[in-house]
Amino acid sequence: GIPVIDATDVVTVVHQNHDYGHLAGGKRTVEVGAEASRNLELGGGYRHLFTIQDADWRMTPRGIVRNWCRSDSERYGEVYEILREGRSGWRVRLGRLMAELLCEWVARWRQYRQGHVAPLLKFPAWCIRRVNRE
């Protein structure tokens, strides 16, 4: 439930390049060794591996803005559902559907604002196909 902010647009992060010679097995140990496997297990498995693309918010030079779905409505809905694991049934499914619809609308509205009408006109058909998947 803690919001995640992607600050990559305004923050320069420095990470020292280094090898993994100090570890028995080198870099491979870090990527697929026992500790890596345990960390993945503690984190809930591959389903719970998120990227910066999944951040809730983005920090921009003009302030913090909502990170609306990056034009990937299915991933947006999947993250919605993952973050609500353990909750039951129809509310989560309905919430995921609504999250995907909202994300898709925002993406298509952005395209419309750039002069592309077709994606917005095709939105109702997309909605029908998405609802029928349920």
Short mmCIF file of all heavy atoms in Angstrom, two decimals, residues 58-88:
data_model
loop_
_atom_site.label_atom_id
_atom_site.label_comp_id
_atom_site.label_asym_id
_atom_site.label_seq_id
_atom_site.Cartn_x
_atom_site.Cartn_y
_atom_site.Cartn_z
N ARG A 58 5.29 9.47 -11.03
CA ARG A 58 6.54 9.87 -11.66
C ARG A 58 6.89 11.27 -11.19
O ARG A 58 6.02 12.15 -11.16
CB ARG A 58 6.41 9.89 -13.19
CG ARG A 58 6.49 8.56 -13.84
CD ARG A 58 6.45 8.61 -15.36
NE ARG A 58 6.73 9.87 -15.98
CZ ARG A 58 5.82 10.68 -16.54
NH1 ARG A 58 4.55 10.36 -16.54
NH2 ARG A 58 6.17 11.81 -17.09
N MET A 59 8.15 11.45 -10.85
CA MET A 59 8.63 12.78 -10.50
C MET A 59 9.17 13.42 -11.78
O MET A 59 10.02 12.84 -12.45
CB MET A 59 9.71 12.71 -9.43
CG MET A 59 10.12 14.08 -8.90
SD MET A 59 11.36 13.96 -7.58
CE MET A 59 10.41 13.18 -6.31
N THR A 60 8.64 14.58 -12.10
CA THR A 60 9.07 15.30 -13.30
C THR A 60 9.65 16.65 -12.87
O THR A 60 9.50 17.04 -11.71
CB THR A 60 7.88 15.54 -14.25
OG1 THR A 60 7.01 16.52 -13.66
CG2 THR A 60 7.12 14.25 -14.53
N PRO A 61 10.27 17.37 -13.80
CA PRO A 61 10.77 18.70 -13.44
C PRO A 61 9.67 19.64 -12.94
O PRO A 61 9.92 20.59 -12.21
CB PRO A 61 11.38 19.21 -14.74
CG PRO A 61 11.77 17.97 -15.48
CD PRO A 61 10.71 16.96 -15.14
N ARG A 62 8.40 19.33 -13.30
CA ARG A 62 7.28 20.18 -12.86
C ARG A 62 6.55 19.65 -11.64
O ARG A 62 5.56 20.21 -11.21
CB ARG A 62 6.30 20.35 -14.01
CG ARG A 62 6.86 21.26 -15.10
CD ARG A 62 5.90 21.45 -16.23
NE ARG A 62 6.29 20.45 -17.24
CZ ARG A 62 5.49 19.92 -18.12
NH1 ARG A 62 4.24 20.26 -18.16
NH2 ARG A 62 5.92 19.04 -18.98
N GLY A 63 7.01 18.52 -11.10
CA GLY A 63 6.37 17.97 -9.90
C GLY A 63 6.04 16.51 -10.08
O GLY A 63 6.43 15.87 -11.06
N ILE A 64 5.28 15.98 -9.14
CA ILE A 64 4.91 14.57 -9.15
C ILE A 64 3.58 14.39 -9.87
O ILE A 64 2.61 15.11 -9.58
CB ILE A 64 4.85 14.02 -7.72
CG1 ILE A 64 6.24 14.08 -7.07
CG2 ILE A 64 4.32 12.59 -7.71
CD1 ILE A 64 6.28 13.65 -5.64
N VAL A 65 3.55 13.46 -10.81
CA VAL A 65 2.33 13.19 -11.58
C VAL A 65 2.02 11.70 -11.52
O VAL A 65 2.90 10.87 -11.32
CB VAL A 65 2.47 13.63 -13.06
CG1 VAL A 65 2.67 15.13 -13.16
CG2 VAL A 65 3.60 12.89 -13.75
N ARG A 66 0.76 11.37 -11.69
CA ARG A 66 0.32 9.97 -11.71
C ARG A 66 0.96 9.28 -12.91
O ARG A 66 1.04 9.84 -13.99
CB ARG A 66 -1.20 9.93 -11.83
CG ARG A 66 -1.77 8.55 -11.63
CD ARG A 66 -1.89 8.30 -10.15
NE ARG A 66 -2.76 7.19 -9.87
CZ ARG A 66 -2.38 6.13 -9.17
NH1 ARG A 66 -1.17 6.02 -8.72
NH2 ARG A 66 -3.23 5.18 -8.91
N ASN A 67 1.43 8.08 -12.73
CA ASN A 67 2.04 7.29 -13.81
C ASN A 67 0.94 6.44 -14.43
O ASN A 67 0.76 5.28 -14.10
CB ASN A 67 3.17 6.41 -13.26
CG ASN A 67 3.99 5.79 -14.36
OD1 ASN A 67 4.01 6.27 -15.48
ND2 ASN A 67 4.68 4.72 -14.04
N TRP A 68 0.21 7.03 -15.34
CA TRP A 68 -0.94 6.35 -15.94
C TRP A 68 -0.51 5.30 -16.92
O TRP A 68 -0.34 5.56 -18.08
CB TRP A 68 -1.87 7.34 -16.63
CG TRP A 68 -2.67 8.15 -15.69
CD1 TRP A 68 -2.51 9.47 -15.42
CD2 TRP A 68 -3.75 7.70 -14.88
NE1 TRP A 68 -3.43 9.87 -14.49
CE2 TRP A 68 -4.21 8.80 -14.14
CE3 TRP A 68 -4.37 6.47 -14.72
CZ2 TRP A 68 -5.26 8.71 -13.25
CZ3 TRP A 68 -5.42 6.38 -13.82
CH2 TRP A 68 -5.86 7.50 -13.11
N CYS A 69 -0.29 4.13 -16.47
CA CYS A 69 -0.30 2.87 -17.18
C CYS A 69 0.63 2.70 -18.37
O CYS A 69 0.67 1.64 -18.94
CB CYS A 69 -1.70 2.51 -17.62
SG CYS A 69 -2.41 3.61 -18.83
N ARG A 70 1.36 3.66 -18.77
CA ARG A 70 2.36 3.50 -19.82
C ARG A 70 1.79 2.82 -21.07
O ARG A 70 2.45 2.06 -21.74
CB ARG A 70 3.56 2.70 -19.32
CG ARG A 70 4.39 3.39 -18.29
CD ARG A 70 3.90 3.24 -16.88
NE ARG A 70 3.50 1.89 -16.52
CZ ARG A 70 2.67 1.65 -15.54
NH1 ARG A 70 2.18 2.63 -14.85
NH2 ARG A 70 2.34 0.43 -15.24
N SER A 71 0.55 3.05 -21.38
CA SER A 71 -0.11 2.48 -22.55
C SER A 71 -0.15 0.95 -22.53
O SER A 71 -0.18 0.30 -23.56
CB SER A 71 0.55 2.96 -23.84
OG SER A 71 0.49 4.35 -23.92
N ASP A 72 -0.14 0.37 -21.38
CA ASP A 72 -0.21 -1.09 -21.26
C ASP A 72 -1.31 -1.43 -20.25
O ASP A 72 -1.05 -1.69 -19.08
CB ASP A 72 1.14 -1.65 -20.81
CG ASP A 72 1.17 -3.17 -20.78
OD1 ASP A 72 0.11 -3.80 -21.02
OD2 ASP A 72 2.23 -3.73 -20.48
N SER A 73 -2.53 -1.41 -20.72
CA SER A 73 -3.66 -1.58 -19.82
C SER A 73 -3.69 -2.95 -19.16
O SER A 73 -4.07 -3.07 -18.00
CB SER A 73 -4.97 -1.32 -20.56
OG SER A 73 -5.08 -2.15 -21.68
N GLU A 74 -3.25 -3.98 -19.88
CA GLU A 74 -3.27 -5.32 -19.29
C GLU A 74 -2.30 -5.41 -18.10
O GLU A 74 -2.63 -5.97 -17.06
CB GLU A 74 -2.93 -6.38 -20.33
CG GLU A 74 -3.20 -7.77 -19.82
CD GLU A 74 -3.18 -8.81 -20.92
OE1 GLU A 74 -3.38 -8.45 -22.09
OE2 GLU A 74 -2.97 -9.99 -20.58
N ARG A 75 -1.11 -4.84 -18.25
CA ARG A 75 -0.15 -4.85 -17.14
C ARG A 75 -0.69 -4.02 -15.98
O ARG A 75 -0.54 -4.38 -14.81
CB ARG A 75 1.21 -4.32 -17.60
CG ARG A 75 2.24 -4.19 -16.49
CD ARG A 75 2.57 -5.53 -15.87
NE ARG A 75 3.55 -5.36 -14.79
CZ ARG A 75 3.82 -6.28 -13.88
NH1 ARG A 75 3.25 -7.45 -13.93
NH2 ARG A 75 4.69 -6.05 -12.94
N TYR A 76 -1.31 -2.90 -16.27
CA TYR A 76 -1.89 -2.05 -15.24
C TYR A 76 -2.90 -2.84 -14.42
O TYR A 76 -2.90 -2.81 -13.19
CB TYR A 76 -2.53 -0.84 -15.90
CG TYR A 76 -2.82 0.32 -14.99
CD1 TYR A 76 -1.79 1.10 -14.47
CD2 TYR A 76 -4.12 0.67 -14.68
CE1 TYR A 76 -2.06 2.17 -13.65
CE2 TYR A 76 -4.40 1.75 -13.87
CZ TYR A 76 -3.37 2.49 -13.36
OH TYR A 76 -3.63 3.57 -12.55
N GLY A 77 -3.77 -3.58 -15.11
CA GLY A 77 -4.76 -4.41 -14.42
C GLY A 77 -4.12 -5.55 -13.64
O GLY A 77 -4.55 -5.88 -12.55
N GLU A 78 -3.06 -6.14 -14.22
CA GLU A 78 -2.37 -7.23 -13.54
C GLU A 78 -1.75 -6.75 -12.23
O GLU A 78 -1.86 -7.41 -11.20
CB GLU A 78 -1.29 -7.80 -14.46
CG GLU A 78 -0.54 -8.97 -13.88
CD GLU A 78 0.51 -9.49 -14.85
OE1 GLU A 78 0.87 -8.81 -15.81
OE2 GLU A 78 0.98 -10.62 -14.62
N VAL A 79 -1.10 -5.59 -12.27
CA VAL A 79 -0.50 -5.04 -11.05
C VAL A 79 -1.59 -4.74 -10.03
O VAL A 79 -1.44 -5.03 -8.84
CB VAL A 79 0.33 -3.77 -11.36
CG1 VAL A 79 0.71 -3.03 -10.09
CG2 VAL A 79 1.57 -4.15 -12.16
N TYR A 80 -2.71 -4.19 -10.47
CA TYR A 80 -3.84 -3.94 -9.58
C TYR A 80 -4.23 -5.22 -8.85
O TYR A 80 -4.39 -5.24 -7.63
CB TYR A 80 -5.03 -3.40 -10.38
CG TYR A 80 -6.27 -3.16 -9.55
CD1 TYR A 80 -6.49 -1.90 -9.00
CD2 TYR A 80 -7.19 -4.17 -9.29
CE1 TYR A 80 -7.62 -1.68 -8.22
CE2 TYR A 80 -8.30 -3.95 -8.51
CZ TYR A 80 -8.51 -2.70 -7.98
OH TYR A 80 -9.62 -2.47 -7.19
N GLU A 81 -4.36 -6.31 -9.61
CA GLU A 81 -4.77 -7.59 -9.03
C GLU A 81 -3.70 -8.17 -8.10
O GLU A 81 -4.00 -8.67 -7.02
CB GLU A 81 -5.09 -8.58 -10.14
CG GLU A 81 -5.75 -9.83 -9.67
CD GLU A 81 -6.20 -10.71 -10.83
OE1 GLU A 81 -5.99 -10.35 -12.00
OE2 GLU A 81 -6.78 -11.75 -10.53
N ILE A 82 -2.45 -8.11 -8.51
CA ILE A 82 -1.35 -8.65 -7.69
C ILE A 82 -1.31 -7.95 -6.34
O ILE A 82 -1.15 -8.59 -5.30
CB ILE A 82 0.01 -8.48 -8.41
CG1 ILE A 82 0.09 -9.44 -9.60
CG2 ILE A 82 1.16 -8.74 -7.46
CD1 ILE A 82 1.25 -9.15 -10.53
N LEU A 83 -1.48 -6.64 -6.33
CA LEU A 83 -1.41 -5.88 -5.08
C LEU A 83 -2.60 -6.13 -4.17
O LEU A 83 -2.60 -5.71 -3.02
CB LEU A 83 -1.25 -4.38 -5.37
CG LEU A 83 0.05 -4.00 -6.07
CD1 LEU A 83 0.07 -2.52 -6.39
CD2 LEU A 83 1.26 -4.40 -5.24
N ARG A 84 -3.60 -6.83 -4.68
CA ARG A 84 -4.78 -7.15 -3.87
C ARG A 84 -4.93 -8.64 -3.64
O ARG A 84 -6.02 -9.13 -3.34
CB ARG A 84 -6.02 -6.57 -4.53
CG ARG A 84 -6.06 -5.06 -4.36
CD ARG A 84 -6.83 -4.36 -5.45
NE ARG A 84 -6.78 -2.93 -5.26
CZ ARG A 84 -5.76 -2.17 -5.68
NH1 ARG A 84 -4.73 -2.69 -6.29
NH2 ARG A 84 -5.78 -0.85 -5.47
N GLU A 85 -3.85 -9.38 -3.79
CA GLU A 85 -3.90 -10.83 -3.55
C GLU A 85 -4.39 -11.10 -2.14
O GLU A 85 -4.08 -10.37 -1.21
CB GLU A 85 -2.52 -11.45 -3.76
CG GLU A 85 -2.24 -11.74 -5.20
CD GLU A 85 -0.93 -12.47 -5.40
OE1 GLU A 85 -0.14 -12.61 -4.46
OE2 GLU A 85 -0.71 -12.88 -6.53
N GLY A 86 -5.12 -12.15 -2.01
CA GLY A 86 -5.65 -12.52 -0.71
C GLY A 86 -7.04 -11.96 -0.47
O GLY A 86 -7.73 -12.39 0.43
N ARG A 87 -7.43 -10.99 -1.27
CA ARG A 87 -8.79 -10.47 -1.18
C ARG A 87 -9.66 -11.29 -2.11
O ARG A 87 -9.22 -11.79 -3.12
CB ARG A 87 -8.83 -9.00 -1.55
CG ARG A 87 -7.99 -8.16 -0.61
CD ARG A 87 -8.08 -6.72 -0.96
NE ARG A 87 -7.08 -5.97 -0.21
CZ ARG A 87 -6.86 -4.70 -0.38
NH1 ARG A 87 -7.54 -4.01 -1.27
NH2 ARG A 87 -5.94 -4.09 0.32
N SER A 88 -10.90 -11.36 -1.79
CA SER A 88 -11.73 -12.30 -2.53
C SER A 88 -12.43 -11.66 -3.71
O SER A 88 -12.72 -10.48 -3.74
CB SER A 88 -12.76 -12.92 -1.59
OG SER A 88 -13.60 -11.92 -1.09
#
